[in-house]
Amino acid sequence: MNKYILGTTVLTFSLFGAACSGIDTANEEMFHDNGNTINVNDQEELFNENVSNNAKKNGEDFGYVRQQKSPVQGQAISNKNMYRLDREKVADSISRMSVAIPNVDDCATLVTDEEVLISYKTDKKGKDERFNVADQVKKTALSVVPRWYHVYVTDDPNLMQNVENLAKMDSDSKNVNTSIDDTIDQMLKASPQGEDVSTGENANGEMKDEQYMAEDDVHQINKTNQKRIDKSETMTD
């Protein structure tokens, strides 16, 4: 009887020790990448090898990440690759959500590094109705992109081609900022932009007070500050 109890006790402590060792290993593995990030889904997979991936495939998982400072004193957290935006996927999401809005039948979205340009088709012609649709489309985009983005919308069908033409460019293209600003200028003149985003921001999310504007804020349209390289403007007869 005593041998049985002793054997059971030894087995119990052995299993307990193995379990604790496994948990410690799992906790270490949860701090992946830079050693400071804990992800709930990673934790689930570490403790359950048979976890199903169906939730991930169907987009059912919540997104949750807990970030901790480095345990090494004086060691800075690297900002490299901290945030990367898949602009194509964001543009796709905005366009899909926009066409789900009543009276929006077609939507083209361009996402750059700092702005979103949206051209859409609507059957609404009245001033107030166009304003309301513009506000809905703009707020849809603002709900998707990071807060520093500025959003511009237009229901002028002639400008949809302009937005599409910009899509053929990239951040390194020649005169890209001028081309974007020219299109934005036309959008602002042709179409309502909806309500102000906040008391300190206009309808496009631009700061109203110049003291809060960033130096490189290219969204404040100013023709005299645009550095245009256009041979047609310098040609003489």
Side-chain angles (χ1 to χ4, degrees):
M1 182 67 177
N2 292 336
K3 291 182 180 180
Y4 176 78
I5 295 174
L6 179 60
T8 303
T9 303
V10 172
L11 178 60
T12 300
F13 275 105
S14 298
L15 292 174
F16 180 76
C20 289
S21 176
I23 292 173
D24 290 340
T25 301
N27 284 334
E28 291 177 2
E29 292 178 358
M30 279 192 293
F31 288 82
H32 55 77
D33 293 337
N34 60 7
N36 307 313
T37 304
I38 301 177
N39 188 292
V40 169
N41 292 326
D42 293 343
Q43 181 178 1
E44 181 183 26
E45 291 176 0
L46 287 168
F47 286 101
N48 183 5
E49 295 180 356
N50 298 320
V51 66
S52 172
N53 289 322
N54 289 336
K56 285 188 175 182
K57 293 179 180 179
N58 296 331
E60 297 172 358
D61 280 356
F62 294 143
Y64 172 84
V65 172
R66 175 175 144 200
Q67 186 70 229
Q68 295 182 339
K69 287 186 177 296
S70 171
V72 181
Q73 187 174 4
Q75 180 177 334
I77 298 177
S78 174
N79 291 330
K80 184 179 181 181
N81 299 328
M82 178 178 284
Y83 191 87
R84 285 188 176 182
L85 188 72
D86 190 323
R87 299 172 189 173
E88 194 77 13
K89 288 184 178 180
V90 171
D92 179 61
S93 296
I94 294 174
S95 291
R96 287 175 181 270
M97 294 169 67
S98 294
V99 293
I101 297 173
N103 307 115
V104 175
D105 304 316
D106 191 359
C107 180
T109 303
L110 175 75
V111 178
T112 73
D113 56 344
E114 293 181 305
E115 59 264 301
V116 178
L117 279 63
I118 307 174
S119 176
Y120 59 93
K121 293 181 180 179
T122 178
D123 55 4
K124 294 299 183 181
K125 304 300 181 183
K127 181 178 179 180
D128 291 340
E129 292 177 325
R130 291 178 62 207
F131 182 93
N132 291 333
V133 174
D135 194 56
Q136 292 179 63
V137 173
K138 177 193 64 183
K139 287 178 178 177
T140 295
L142 288 172
S143 71
V144 177
V145 295
R147 192 59 192 86
W148 70 77
Y149 269 80
H150 297 166
V151 179
Y152 308 89
V153 300
T154 181
D155 57 0
D156 186 338
N158 297 321
L159 293 178
M160 186 169 285
Q161 185 61 50
N162 295 49
V163 174
E164 184 176 335
N165 291 339
L166 290 174
K168 301 173 184 177
M169 308 176 75
D170 59 37
S171 300
D172 297 323
S173 298
K174 188 176 182 179
N175 298 331
V176 62
N177 285 338
T178 297
S179 299
I180 291 173
D181 280 352
D182 284 346
T183 300
I184 290 175
D185 199 22
Q186 294 180 62
M187 296 171 77
L188 295 175
K189 291 177 180 178
S191 307
Q193 302 297 305
E195 298 178 352
D196 286 354
V197 174
S198 68
T199 54
E201 299 169 295
N202 65 11
N204 308 108
E206 301 169 343
M207 299 301 296
K208 294 180 180 179
D209 194 333
E210 291 187 2
Q211 67 174 318
Y212 297 115
M213 294 179 188
E215 278 184 22
D216 60 345
D217 191 346
V218 299
H219 314 295
Q220 301 296 325
I221 307 303
N222 187 333
K223 291 295 185 181
T224 60
N225 291 338
Q226 288 185 353
K227 297 180 180 180
R228 186 187 303 272
I229 303 176
D230 189 343
K231 293 182 181 179
S232 64
E233 293 187 353
T234 60
M235 292 177 62
T236 57
D237 294 333

